[in-house]
Amino acid sequence: MRIGVLTGGGDVPGLNAAIRAVARRAFQYGWEVVGIRNGWQGMVEGIYEPLTPKSVSGILHVGGTILGTSRTNPLKDPKMMEKVFANFKAMQLDGLVAIGGDDTLSVAAALAAKGLPAVGVPKTMDNDVAETDYCIGFDTATTTVADALDKLHTTATAHHRVIVVEVMGRDAGWVAVVGGLAGGADFIAVPESPTNMDAICAHLKNRRDAGKNFAIVVVAEGAKITDLPEPEDLGEVDAFGHVRLDKRSLGERVAKEIERRIGFEARTVVLGHLQRGGSPSVFDRVLATRLGVFAVDLIREGRFGYMAALKGNKIVPVELEHAVASNKKVDLELYELAKVFF
Ligand code: F6P
């Protein structure tokens, strides 16, 4: 047997742990493993390299991905899909492990539906892949957010300011809610639950009147703030049709509006790609390892078109088709819990 492994979409800490797990399980079965370069781009262009015990050694704790990544979408063009099939054959593969978020996994689901023996592993710091409780990268990202909020609290307190912290989260507010809850945010805005500047400012004013002369406001980059005009042009979309949400400058606009409306001095911090950097947390290392090993076992059992998923404390198979059918929205009960501390 010879299998391929690729990582697609935004990188996260824990990808290397997953690649290592895939390779080590396959080696245990006496299989060969090839690493496909740069996500689906490597399958379209036939760029790959053999993985060896040596090449996957020492990478468990290292962020990024030794295979590289891209946002290439073969579903955009039937010719690209044909190339994926042709290269799969040319590489003499018997199975493919696609490690990625909803975009990468939607390609794997489509390929599996057309007969390519693919399985999936969920990774995204957004944590919004359906049918799994956690995705690789989310725990590390939220730990980074909580660390940042701890640091920002001291300077916000010292200067009696509002600090608006913009975090990633395109369609789902998982990072904002979990990171904000862990870091003691005084307000959190998410895509799933529209809010407005009236509500934010009223809350901050009440807080100030009650004697708290600083505040930490966490906004997900995709949060909906209904009375704040949107920038006209966010530029080009990527291959999966997504605009770059950092160009919304939501944090900056919220901070300015707070100053304008209630005269509370405000600053903005955009955590950006820091949330995708560093070493994976213990949780992400263990999750990535469990999912990677399970994905290889799915191939061994001939269960293609499945994704390895975490449900409760168990790793289980779920159909890729179901996993990519919708985005997993933030748990609103958790959001309500965070509001207890606003
Ligand atoms: O898809 C994960 C994600 O981290 C989103 O939260 C964010 O909008 C996007 O990637 C940023 O991607 P890029 O790497 O293209 O800046």
Side-chain angles (χ1 to χ4, degrees):
M1 286 279 283
R2 184 171 149 96
I3 63 168
V5 54
L6 63 81
T7 53
D11 73 317
V12 294
L15 283 174
N16 285 327
I19 294 164
R20 168 182 176 267
V22 167
R24 291 284 293 271
R25 183 59 143 190
F27 297 152
Q28 198 182 28
Y29 293 143
W31 299 357
E32 287 177 15
V33 184
V34 299
I36 317 290
R37 297 289 310 170
N38 302 330
W40 293 115
Q41 187 190 353
M43 281 308 293
V44 173
E45 296 175 12
I47 309 167
Y48 62 99
E49 69 207 46
L51 294 184
T52 62
K54 195 163 175 228
S55 63
V56 297
S57 169
I59 63 169
L60 170 66
H61 64 291
V62 183
T65 160
I66 57 163
L67 298 177
T69 185
S70 73
R71 295 195 190 271
T72 307
N73 181 8
L75 292 175
K76 274 180 76 179
D77 179 355
K79 284 203 186 88
M80 287 166 94
M81 286 294 269
E82 277 166 29
K83 283 187 181 160
V84 171
F85 275 93
N87 283 323
F88 184 84
K89 218 173 152 199
M91 293 177 204
Q92 298 180 309
L93 298 180
D94 302 298
L96 179 65
V97 181
I99 307 171
D102 53 343
D103 293 336
T104 303
L105 296 175
S106 64
V107 178
L111 289 165
K114 288 180 186 296
L116 192 123
V119 298
V121 169
K123 113 13 266 189
T124 167
M125 60 156 290
D126 293 350
N127 201 37
D128 59 354
V129 173
E131 299 287 328
T132 183
D133 291 346
Y134 284 96
C135 300
I136 301 167
F138 174 66
D139 186 68
T140 309
T142 46
T143 302
T144 299
V145 172
D147 280 351
L149 297 196
D150 288 351
K151 290 181 174 129
L152 293 171
H153 259 104
T154 54
T155 174
T157 318
H159 286 267
H160 325 300
R161 283 173 179 152
V162 177
I163 298 195
V164 180
V165 185
E166 183 181 310
V167 300
M168 283 187 177
R170 185 185 285 141
D171 304 306
W174 285 103
V175 173
V177 169
V178 175
L181 180 58
D186 304 304
F187 195 93
I188 302 173
V190 296
E192 293 92 336
S193 178
T195 185
N196 53 50
M197 288 308 305
D198 286 347
I200 296 173
C201 291
H203 177 67
L204 295 179
K205 204 167 163 305
N206 285 341
R207 208 180 127 79
R208 193 171 51 180
D209 292 347
K212 295 259 186 165
N213 58 4
F214 76 95
I216 302 286
V217 174
V218 173
V219 296
E221 61 182 355
K224 296 202 173 47
I225 302 191
T226 51
D227 54 357
L228 202 58
E230 286 295 318
E232 277 179 11
D233 184 15
L234 293 178
E236 285 182 13
V237 295
D238 70 15
F240 288 91
H242 306 303
V243 289
R244 274 188 49 189
L245 284 178
D246 56 338
K247 291 197 174 168
R248 269 182 99 203
S249 307
L250 187 62
E252 188 59 36
R253 289 186 296 121
V254 168
K256 275 203 183 119
E257 196 61 10
I258 290 169
E259 283 192 340
R260 194 184 71 79
R261 289 191 183 206
I262 55 171
F264 209 155
E265 189 184 4
R267 295 285 190 274
T268 316
V269 174
V270 180
L271 291 183
H273 297 83
L274 281 173
Q275 296 161 95
R276 302 207 318 230
S279 279
S281 65
V282 169
F283 182 89
D284 275 329
R285 293 179 198 199
V286 175
L287 178 66
T289 302
R290 294 176 77 193
L291 293 172
V293 164
F294 196 89
V296 173
D297 288 352
L298 285 175
I299 293 181
R300 193 171 188 230
E301 290 159 17
R303 299 182 82 177
F304 305 117
Y306 282 86
M307 179 183 88
L310 180 71
K311 287 202 174 176
N313 208 15
K314 294 258 174 285
I315 305 291
V316 296
V318 297
E319 285 183 43
L320 266 172
E321 199 190 328
H322 294 162
V324 300
S326 60
N327 276 119
K328 185 180 68 181
K329 299 297 180 195
V330 75
D331 180 348
L332 290 176
E333 275 180 29
L334 203 59
Y335 188 36
E336 288 306 313
L337 178 75
K339 285 183 185 171
V340 171
F341 304 95
F342 284 2

